[in-house]
Amino acid sequence: WYLDIESSHLLAHVSKELSKVFPRSKFILTVRNPKSWLESVLRWELTNPHFLVSPLWKPILDFYYGPKEGYQFPWMAENNLYPIDNYLRAWRDHNRCVLDSVPPDRLLVIWTKDLSSKAGRIANFAGIDQEPHTDRHNSSDHSVQPFWLSDEAYVEERSKEICGEVMEELEKRAV
């Protein structure tokens, strides 16, 4: 396809293969903390519920997030969402896969909140002469309020338990 860049979160699960097939390629792993990521995913799914039942996307989401059982919050089952732990395990597994698969010298880990301020670092890593133009990256406006975080302590506890080890590694490796 003669691509200079490819950007898809789904590629994380084949990062080991991509790293081998394209030995000169570089990888940028953009990350956000699990709670922020969870909030974003839930807002997107609640404002786009047709994706949760789409014949194309449902098998992908079921593979990515796992079975719909063991709900902490009944409203999640009522809205055809996945349990909190499933989302958090997906966050952990996604990031762990890239960290374990891509050689450290070919991987730049950067927090999404730092994308604009680190544009020069990204350009240098990618071998680009000029600093890229940056804007807000996910500008979709969600109308759903974060009512699911009414038990924020539970979400924080589960995030630390499920994602804590990977978070620590990401914090050490991020630029």
Side-chain angles (χ1 to χ4, degrees), residues 83-123:
I84 294 283
D85 285 6
N86 293 30
Y87 287 108
L88 294 173
R89 280 192 291 269
W91 181 96
R92 177 199 63 203
D93 295 347
H94 173 97
N95 290 298
R96 170 58 53 212
C97 185
V98 175
L99 290 170
D100 290 348
S101 301
V102 179
D105 62 319
R106 294 172 48 206
L107 177 63
L108 179 69
V109 177
I110 192 159
W111 297 101
T112 55
K113 66 182 177 54
D114 297 332
L115 281 171
S116 294
S117 66
K118 303 285 183 167
R121 177 67 178 95
I122 295 168

